[in-house]
Amino acid sequence: MGNREIIRPDEELGYLLVQTSLYKQRINNTMLKPLGLTYMQFVVLAGIYELGTQHEKVSQQMLVSQRRLDKAMVSSILKKLIGRGLVYREPNPGDSRSWILKLTGRGEQLAVQARNNAHRLNEEFFGDIDQSALREILKKLLK
């Protein structure tokens, strides 16, 4: 171990990061439950909404790559959201192998409502820390 300070397992950075993430996800799910959404359904809905404001066409691949999501998980979530009438797909005229994702009116309304709730929750959750510094650290870790 050399000069490395011995840290209790529950004080290891990796453990604390995972526990914080799980705790935040539980809080998010509690906030989203009245809207009938899981956290990952919200991530997909909000991703389609936000990417749709930046791009004319949002494909499933764009959503997966831009939001760093698992392709199979997104596919499964989209099936549920389509079944609930929140999302629909159109053939992509520029690529016959892909679909363009769009929110229905209800899907857009739900995405905006959930996103507003998530912003308020984030302000409360991260309110007492230097959010800019944490954001930069997390972005650096994701690279």
Side-chain angles (χ1 to χ4, degrees):
M1 290 207 154
N3 293 335
R4 186 169 176 253
E5 179 183 334
I6 297 175
I7 298 176
R8 293 181 13 205
D10 62 347
E11 292 180 354
E12 289 283 350
L13 288 176
Y15 177 82
L16 291 170
L17 184 60
V18 168
Q19 291 302 308
T20 302
S21 178
L22 291 171
Y23 177 59
K24 179 71 167 63
Q25 196 163 352
R26 283 193 304 271
I27 293 170
N28 285 334
N29 280 325
T30 300
M31 177 266 301
L32 292 165
K33 189 173 184 173
L35 301 177
L37 295 172
T38 66
Y39 181 66
M40 291 312 299
Q41 288 172 341
F42 160 66
V43 168
V44 170
L45 272 182
I48 296 168
Y49 177 78
E50 291 163 3
L51 290 171
T53 64
Q54 301 164 8
H55 305 278
E56 187 177 321
K57 298 175 185 169
V58 178
S59 69
Q60 185 170 334
Q61 183 55 45
M62 177 190 292
L63 177 64
V64 165
S65 63
Q66 295 267 338
R67 295 297 188 245
R68 297 181 176 154
L69 301 172
D70 178 77
K71 187 176 182 178
M73 177 190 63
V74 169
S75 181
S76 174
I77 290 170
L78 281 172
K79 286 177 187 172
K80 290 177 183 170
L81 296 175
I82 290 168
R84 290 181 55 198
L86 301 174
V87 174
Y88 65 99
R89 297 187 296 189
E90 295 179 345
N92 185 345
D95 183 355
S96 62
R97 299 166 295 159
S98 71
W99 297 89
I100 301 300
L101 303 174
K102 296 194 175 189
L103 298 177
T104 63
R106 174 78 178 118
E108 184 172 336
Q109 181 184 34
L110 201 56
V112 170
Q113 184 180 1
R115 197 177 92 181
N116 290 341
N117 291 355
H119 284 305
R120 283 192 299 277
L121 181 69
N122 284 339
E123 285 301 317
E124 185 178 315
F125 186 81
F126 296 110
D128 293 337
I129 64 168
D130 183 343
Q131 293 178 37
S132 295
L134 179 60
R135 184 177 297 106
E136 290 308 310
I137 289 168
L138 293 173
K139 285 167 54 176
K140 192 173 186 179
L141 290 172
L142 285 171
K143 287 184 180 181

